[in-house]
Amino acid sequence: MRAIALCGGQALSIIDIGGGSSRLAGALMEQRRHDVTVLDLSKRVLTLARVRLGADRRKVAWIAKDVTRWQPHRQWDIWHDRAVFRFLTEDQDRQAYLQALGAAVPHKGHVVLAGCAPDGLQSQLGESYDLLHSWVEAHGTPTGQAQAFTWCVFQKL
C-alpha cells in the first residue's frame, strides 16, 4: 500500500498484475478506491479472491489472462506488480510483458514493481520510465523465511 500512496490521489485507476492471491484489492476497497482491476493467470485464484472480498468483489474488474499474452483494452494510472515480472525468465515473455505495460500505462502514469535492484529494473523498462522512489521490504515466505523485496516506483515519461 505504501507504493500506491506514493503514486497519488483517490481517483486513480489501478491494475494489479498477478494479484489474484494478493490482498491489495481488498485494501484498496477499504480506501474507497473504485477503479481497481486484478489480472491473474489462474481463474481458480481469482475465484478465491472474489469470495474473500465478499460484496466488494462487484467493484473490482477481474481478468483471467497470462499477462504475456494479453492486450490491454484500456489504460490505468497505476500498474502494480509484486512478483510476475521478476519471475519471467524467457526474453520473449519479458518483451511481451513490457509491451502490455507500455500499452496499459498512460503518459505520466506510474509503474510499481518489486524485483531486483532499481538499476536492473530501470534497464529493463528503458528510458521511457523515470525511477521516482525505491525501498527494500522484508516479505515472509510460506516457509516462514524472510525474503527481501526491492520495490520501485517509476513514472512513464
Side-chain angles (χ1 to χ4, degrees):
M1 289 305 299
R2 175 181 173 186
I4 302 302
L6 290 169
C7 293
Q10 292 285 9
L12 296 177
S13 57
I14 300 165
I15 185 164
D16 189 14
I17 303 301
S21 62
S22 168
R23 300 207 181 268
L24 179 62
L28 292 168
M29 291 296 104
E30 289 174 8
Q31 289 185 2
R32 301 192 190 282
R33 293 181 185 248
H34 296 293
D35 191 353
V36 176
T37 301
V38 178
L39 180 142
D40 199 283
L41 176 64
S42 172
K43 289 180 183 180
R44 185 180 71 72
V45 170
L46 288 176
T47 298
L48 294 172
R50 284 188 196 104
V51 169
R52 185 176 64 232
L53 274 182
D56 280 342
R57 74 182 172 272
R58 292 180 189 93
K59 298 175 187 172
V60 175
W62 305 93
I63 301 172
K65 296 277 184 187
D66 178 342
V67 69
T68 66
R69 290 166 179 72
W70 172 65
Q71 294 183 359
H73 63 283
R74 60 169 284 200
Q75 291 186 318
W76 290 265
D77 299 310
I78 301 173
W79 172 286
H80 177 271
D81 176 1
R82 183 183 66 84
V84 175
F85 186 69
R86 70 190 193 107
F87 286 114
L88 296 176
T89 57
E90 298 295 325
D91 198 41
Q92 66 191 26
D93 289 339
R94 284 181 169 256
Q95 290 307 314
Y97 177 104
L98 293 171
Q99 285 181 337
L101 183 150
V105 178
H107 172 69
K108 300 237 182 225
H110 292 88
V111 178
V112 181
L113 290 175
C116 56
D119 58 343
L121 286 173
Q122 179 72 69
S123 70
Q124 291 287 316
L125 291 177
E127 294 178 7
S128 297
Y129 297 87
D130 185 33
L131 177 63
L132 301 178
H133 188 70
S134 67
W135 69 97
V136 176
E137 181 177 279
H139 168 72
T141 67
T143 61
Q145 302 296 317
Q147 180 181 38
F149 269 60
T150 300
W151 285 97
C152 297
V153 178
F154 296 90
Q155 185 171 38
K156 188 174 181 182
L157 302 175

